[in-house]
Amino acid sequence: MAYTEFYDIAINKARTLSKRAALGWSIIDQESELATAAASMLGLDCGHLEQSIAQYAHQATELFLCFEPPESATNAITQAIEQSEIQRITLGKALNDNPAWTQWLQQWPGSQEVLPYNPVVDKLSYGYHSIRQQQRPWVTSITAASLSGFSQPLANLASEFDFVNYIANLSQQSRAVIYTLDQQPLLDLLPDENYAGEPLELFEVGRVDALKGIYRHCAQEMRCSVLLVCNMPMLHQVLETFQVDEVVHHLVKNDVRPLKAEVDAHPSLDMENWTLTSSAVVGQCSRVVYARQADRVAALLGSRLN
């Protein structure tokens, strides 16, 4: 198996857990074969990496990591490496944000290589960078609106093709779900746990200024990726205040009367600084996904994207 395949396996393991907040790894043995590969959702215990290294301590010669482990887990992981036969570490990206790792490398007799820029690996660290640079998690919003721009109940789209599976996948890649009361019925259709087997923490929010406290709590607990299930007034406000990073929006053909609070709201979305990354027909509605333009993400996260 080629080394690029070992690296791809580590990336895919991470993406299976969370496309914006996961660390993947592969361990290579003395025969240049894959010994094991796994991943951990960022903010959760990285003990699986330590255990993987310990399990193959006498066979392992090389460790592929998407990026450095979190500082809180560095001591246990470096001890496991020192007690193994690993002589080479390959990183997909250097976060350069872990002094303990950098200091340890200076005295470790092995070598570390950092591979050329890979946009997929870069995205895996977005949640971590958001916590470190903005003191808030990476936030993906989920909304639905009529063609006139007014909020629609997301739960009403449950019968549309693959709608629930799509949203469930996003929630399972997260470590918390924030929701407005009018969209609460959707939560009954979603799993209670994420892909790491952790119960999803739920937060009801009524005002955009209340988000700061929730984001602060998530940052303190290293909940690097969260889902915001909200109505259109909330989406407008988080867009204006730069409190969302990815927008998943549904355009519904069947117009339900707008909530009274929305009647005076401006229905159109200003996505000037956003890039349309995908679109799809979902039964009787259309889904569009927007991400911040690369230069805007770079400015917000301090991360070089090219």
Side-chain angles (χ1 to χ4, degrees), residues 97-230:
D97 195 38
N98 185 345
W101 180 266
T102 302
Q103 293 171 10
W104 173 77
L105 282 175
Q106 293 173 354
Q107 57 82 37
W108 183 54
S111 64
Q112 175 182 277
E113 176 189 1
V114 180
L115 296 177
Y117 172 80
N118 183 321
V120 176
V121 176
D122 206 32
K123 290 175 183 177
L124 287 170
S125 67
Y126 276 4
Y128 177 82
H129 275 303
S130 188
I131 292 283
R132 301 289 284 185
Q133 302 293 334
Q134 301 186 86
Q135 291 73 55
R136 71 160 176 81
W138 179 270
V139 180
T140 298
S141 66
I142 309 291
T143 49
S146 64
L147 296 178
S148 56
F150 295 108
S151 293
Q152 302 295 290
L154 285 159
N156 286 5
L157 304 178
S159 61
E160 305 298 349
F161 175 72
D162 207 39
F163 175 83
V164 173
N165 286 338
Y166 182 91
I167 305 302
N169 179 52
L170 292 177
S171 71
Q172 288 178 287
Q173 293 185 45
S174 307
R175 295 196 58 213
V177 176
I178 306 168
Y179 63 94
T180 53
L181 183 60
D182 52 356
Q183 299 292 7
Q184 184 177 13
L186 178 68
L187 271 59
D188 294 332
L189 307 176
L190 302 180
D192 296 326
E193 298 181 344
N194 58 28
Y195 284 131
E198 172 196 38
L200 284 164
E201 193 164 11
L202 304 178
F203 301 93
E204 181 185 331
V205 63
R207 307 181 320 276
V208 71
D209 55 358
L211 280 174
K212 292 184 178 179
I214 298 172
Y215 286 170
R216 190 180 307 114
H217 167 79
C218 290
Q220 290 171 346
E221 294 200 347
M222 286 298 289
R223 296 181 181 272
C224 297
S225 180
V226 307
L227 199 64
L228 173 62
V229 180
C230 66

